[in-house]
Amino acid sequence: MISLKKSQKLFVEGQKHLVGAVNSPVRAFSSVGGNPIFIKKARGSIIVDVDNNKYVDMVLSYGPMILGHKHKLVQNAITKATKNGYSFGASTQSEITLAGMVCDAFAKMDKVRFVNSGTEAVFSALRLARAFTGKDKIIKFSGCYHGHADSLLVAAGSGLATLSLPGSKGVPEDAVKNTLIAEYNNLESVETLVSANKDIAAIIIEPIAGNMGVVVPDDCFIKGLNKLAKENNILIIADEVMTGFRSKFGGAQDLIELNADITCLGKVIGGGFPVGAYGARNEIMEMVAPLGGMYQAGTLSGNPIAMAAGIATLRELKKQNPYSKFEDNARLIEEALLNSAKEFGVDLQVNKFGSMINPFFTDKSVTNFESAQNSDTEKFKVFFWELAENGVFIPPSQYEAWFLSSSLADKDVKKVVKSIRLALKKVSRL
Ligand SMILES: *Cc1c(COP(=O)(O)O)cnc(C)c1O
């Protein structure tokens, strides 16, 4: 048994002045039982907790650490940037550099605005879509998570799915009355909403859903969305906060041929620092202040240290081009999951896309939120802790994607494969 003594001590201490000892509910271990693991440090593919247990990290800060932890070039870039100061409330060259790199990676993005989180990127994009179209309603899909803005905390994935919450307390009816909910991979559910509502400004979607576990869209679903949006003057907002730069240098929207009008980014483009962004073609972005009348601002937006981390991360990502290696490693992990599940007679589905993958404990294929919720979360609990015992750290939730980084070495993959087998063996004894 691994010792988690110091983590337990910090968990007790932390609860005094922090809510549940965490600053984000996904870090609580409520759905897997036991106490949260407190982290001391990480480097490359390995994360170390306060009790000095070492794990191959497949959480990767929920996505940002695509090069692995504490990459040398990122570290150097940050160190260099801090020598000039930390924040100025005025523009710097680094913002222009990162904006150029991001816009170059998206065919239909002429301009971008940097903010401090994915949440901020998304709620700003909604405001922009409403400003541009002059319409109020939006369609979102159940199981997709778009940050914690009031109007988006309905039928949301991520922590709400983990905690089985339908929405959030404190959100007034008025804040969600313009949010319409459709089902992922179900074009008809979107068509019904579009024909019944005249004033839809935008359809917001995770191109590859990652916050109900990984769910990949059908071709005809995406084709249908493109067509519906075009015919009805509805903007498509691609929430690529998770998927941006994860499965190619740019957006997953290219790989599935989603015609996004506005794209939201976060996670990877900050390289571990708080950065979000939304971008679109000129015509749309020129609505944003100071060029236009849609207001959105931020004291720390485009922070020079965060920009330096983002630039170094994207530069290195472009140079390494790890995307086919991601596919290979994801395939090995998928095979391990499926083969071991078969060996021990455990009902299991595996969904993956690029460097995102996760198993669902169910015998039915998972194509939307409803089918994701067929999963046996009791089995997941046992699986999670047995992986931890064997040196692999995955998100403490059935409804979160596992991430791969370019620092994952062959020996790390071997360890993950071996640990998966042991964990599924234990699950089969339930
Ligand atoms: C993580 C995430 C967000 C929210 O980003 P934060 O930086 O946590 O505010 C929004 N949308 C998607 C798809 C995400 O995965």
Side-chain angles (χ1 to χ4, degrees), residues 36-37 46 74 97 126 149 155 161 175 222 271 279 318 327 411:
I37 293 173
I46 304 297
V74 181
T97 307
L126 286 188
I222 295 297
K318 190 160 204 180
E327 300 268 338
K411 70 169 192 297

Side-chain angles (χ1 to χ4, degrees), residues 178-251:
N178 287 316
T179 307
L180 310 172
I181 306 297
E183 196 179 47
Y184 204 84
N185 271 327
N186 180 347
L187 188 61
E188 222 184 284
S189 71
V190 189
E191 284 165 348
T192 307
L193 291 175
V194 171
S195 60
N197 295 276
K198 287 296 146 238
D199 58 340
I200 298 171
I203 297 172
I204 182 163
I205 185 168
E206 291 181 68
I208 307 299
N211 284 291
M212 47 178 143
V214 178
V215 175
V216 182
D218 296 336
D219 273 355
C220 53
F221 173 61
I222 295 297
K223 277 204 184 81
L225 281 187
N226 288 338
K227 188 159 171 273
L228 261 185
K230 192 166 177 205
E231 288 171 356
N232 294 280
N233 250 324
I234 296 171
L235 297 185
I236 293 184
I237 303 176
D239 180 353
E240 300 234 30
V241 171
M242 182 184 289
T243 53
F245 297 91
R246 267 247 148 243
S247 42
K248 74 176 283 260
F249 194 85

Side-chain angles (χ1 to χ4, degrees), residues 117-119 122 145-147 206 211 239 241-242 267:
S117 66
T119 294
V122 174
Y145 176 72
H146 303 292
E206 291 181 68
N211 284 291
D239 180 353
V241 171
M242 182 184 289
K267 296 187 172 128

Side-chain angles (χ1 to χ4, degrees), residues 258-271:
L258 175 73
N259 292 335
D261 296 288
I262 305 177
T263 296
C264 301
L265 295 165
K267 296 187 172 128
V268 167
I269 63 160

Side-chain angles (χ1 to χ4, degrees), residues 379-425:
K379 285 183 183 160
F380 182 83
K381 272 185 200 175
V382 172
F383 182 67
F384 170 86
W385 280 111
E386 194 61 13
L387 282 183
E389 281 290 333
N390 289 286
V392 177
F393 187 48
I394 63 165
S397 163
Q398 168 68 83
Y399 303 106
E400 300 284 354
W402 309 2
F403 296 102
L404 276 63
S405 81
S406 62
S407 64
L408 201 64
D410 291 350
K411 70 169 192 297
D412 299 321
V413 177
K414 282 202 184 105
K415 180 164 195 177
V416 173
V417 165
K418 204 172 136 199
S419 305
I420 283 171
R421 187 173 176 276
L422 293 172
L424 286 174
K425 186 174 178 185

